[in-house]
Amino acid sequence: MDFEALHSANFKTLDDTVDAWTKMLVKLADLKKDARDGLRGKANKANWAGYNATVSREFIGKTAEEFNDAHTQAESIRNIIRDTQGELKAQQRLLKEAIERGRNNHMSVKPAGSGFTVTPNPDPKPANGQTDVDTLRNELQGILNTATEVDNTASTSLKALVDLTDYGFSGQKYADRDSAAAAIKEAENLARIAKKNPEDLTVKEFDTLNAGLKKYSGDELFSERFAQQLGAKGTLEFWDAITDPATNRDVYSERREQLGDLQKNLSLTLATATQADTPAMSRWTSEMTDLGSQPVHKNSTTMGFQVMSNLMRWGNFDDSFLRSYGSELMETEKAATSNGRHGATVWTHMGMDPNLNRTGEDSGSDPMIGFLKALSNSPDAATDFFNEPFLSKDDDHDFKEKNDEDKEVKASLSNFDYLFEERDWPPERDKDGENSISGRNNLGAALEAATTGHPAGELPTLDTPAHNAGQAELAKNLMVSISENPERLTKYGYMSDSVGQIAAEYMPDINRGLYAGKESANDLFPVVGEAAKIPEVDITRFLYTVGQNPEGYAAVNAGQAAYTTSLMEYHFSNPGAFVQDSNFSESDNLKQGIEGVAKMSGEVQGTIGAGRAFASEEDGGAKDQDFNDAIQTTSTWIGSGIGIGVGLATAPFIGPGGIVAGGLAGTAVDEILGGLTEGLLKDSSGEVIYRNGQEIDATRQSTYTLVEAAAEKAGESAKNPSPAIVDAAANAAEQGFNNARTNLSDFIDGEGTPQQLEPKK
């Protein structure tokens, strides 16, 4: 900064700018509140249908979030400018005070070009002669240097903050210029460490890098600058080297236990970086995708995909990056497997290969595992990926299907078909030397995200969009696939928690598919968004299969209980919503509707109960406690709005006065789930009395109790109680439960095992 510019600076323009941004913040705060309470609040309560359910509602949610980001970005900009304003004023004050002290000590300070001169008076001279002159000159230069740094870092921070997004606003918040500048400076320092020759890296530098990434991994300015400085190739080379014991024995021997933390912190940092819409990050993501199928360096057999996929296991990566990355990964998979004819031996972990994944779950040699974990955090990208074609009928491959004339012809496979049904997964071991489950387990989690529209392991919320066509089609394909060949799930039971959650969130679609009165299903089981059209036989086989696993059984059990209660409350609140017969009274139509809901609930409970019985019988009842313990875990749904999530996020029911049925308080649903998890409605047995899928009194009785209680609580919550309808609901549930037995007898053999069907492509 020029001496004269600081000395004579008039800060009125800067003062006015700070005032303007402060006033803007007040306006944006009002807009943010209006968007949250008005725009989004009304959108969440609205009874969307068709195109509006899948597009407009989601668009409104994202638009409302932009107002929040706009306020955050404006506040950061105001804070940086205000802090810069204060610091520059302070430096100007220090400059003038130093000049005045010099004048009192017989020295003159004058501007000279962009700098200044300090001249001693001839008579009287400064007290200490040239020493005082040099001291004053150094002090003034130090003040100018500080002011220059303040000015430059403010400019850099503001530009970097604004450049983070091409469209919309950044949600990154900074309290002052120092924090923004520190983030950028730290990013550059840590990138320099990571770019060092890995053989020269010290233990202290490793610790500095790990601590810095942990602290700043969620900071957008830091993450973007770090990734940009390190580069795509540098990122691959760093992780490939740091995980190899032969590269730097000191660091590896002393810090190998911390490599897992570094992997997580680096993954979170890169995920944040990919969300930045800067030209530098566009180049980074493009280069990373291009480098995926290439060796990390000329003497390596490790491919870029193998390294990067292990740095994707944490965080929310940009959807467009995941789409392009996934497409190129599958092209490499096709080349490595001769279009799926054999296993991907190129991904097989060999004895001397480094463990690129430091979680202990698997070696990290198969890039599909880490990539699927990334998809489990990014629902939209996951939906697109699984629905993307893997092989067409025109490709050179050996997969067959039967056409309408019952002749074998070449099949077309989606990424879902290939990964869930056909892929020969490379063998993997965990840290204990046992067969690793992480591949298919991550596949299940990614499918959960892809079908539900929210990250795996989370519960749906009011902001979770209605299911779109891609999600519904994928959910249908998953259920049909498991129905065709139950071993696709039973051999890998650890996937059942995700599959069970999917089923729980598709309860409206499942109930529709089981309901005999197809023409009135729309009114009885309303669905907003795209409904998954699943054949009845496939639903039955699917539910029976999921019911054989404790986690799957628990999710479906609680999901159906929550959905039944919410749906009943909707119909009690809106007795004219379902018309069985136009000649019936409103009360009779309501009774018919509640009976229809209860009957389907009984059928679902009977089907998964039969699956549970078969599993318990197989191991002599040892699993019975596991099933009851799994039900206890669904207690986390209570009070979380899960009744709205399972029954109503996909079909937001509106009752009198615009109140969401099921209640935002969720009292009726919470009471039913509470009874289920606390043991009031728990089904258990001291000995195995199921035989080959036949029901037992305990399970049947718990179903009636559940449905009867749901009808009672729903009627009370809707302020429309009816003991007669409650009694009718219990009887209907019994009929549905018995129907489950009849449906199951059509395809379960004498040993209780579902027979495999011919694949229906």
Side-chain angles (χ1 to χ4, degrees), residues 605-634:
Q605 294 287 352
T607 306
I608 62 172
R612 168 180 175 163
F614 173 69
S616 293
E617 183 176 358
E618 282 287 280
D619 63 5
K623 275 189 178 178
D624 199 56
Q625 189 59 47
D626 292 339
F627 278 91
N628 289 329
D629 289 343
I631 291 175
Q632 297 295 319
T633 66
T634 60

Side-chain angles (χ1 to χ4, degrees), residues 347-393:
W347 308 138
T348 302
H349 184 74
M350 307 303 288
M352 297 302 293
D353 292 339
N355 286 328
L356 294 168
N357 173 42
R358 310 304 299 194
T359 66
E361 298 170 348
D362 56 86
S363 71
S365 292
D366 183 359
M368 207 65 67
I369 300 176
F371 176 66
L372 289 170
K373 188 66 171 68
L375 289 181
S376 73
N377 295 321
S378 301
D380 291 344
T383 305
D384 293 342
F385 171 78
F386 283 116
N387 286 323
E388 192 172 275
F390 180 68
L391 292 170
S392 73
K393 294 181 179 181

Side-chain angles (χ1 to χ4, degrees), residues 680-691:
L680 176 64
L681 306 173
K682 186 189 303 178
D683 56 329
S684 61
S685 59
E687 60 181 288
V688 177
I689 45 180
Y690 277 100
R691 292 296 173 196

Side-chain angles (χ1 to χ4, degrees), residues 270-293:
L270 296 177
T272 303
T274 62
Q275 298 293 340
D277 294 329
T278 62
M281 283 312 299
S282 294
R283 288 192 298 272
W284 190 95
T285 54
S286 178
E287 289 172 8
M288 184 60 76
T289 301
D290 292 341
L291 291 169
S293 58

Side-chain angles (χ1 to χ4, degrees), residues 101-123:
R101 286 199 310 275
R103 182 180 296 111
N104 293 336
N105 193 20
H106 316 298
M107 292 178 284
S108 300
V109 179
K110 296 181 179 179
S114 61
F116 63 93
T117 60
V118 179
T119 306
N121 293 342
D123 185 25

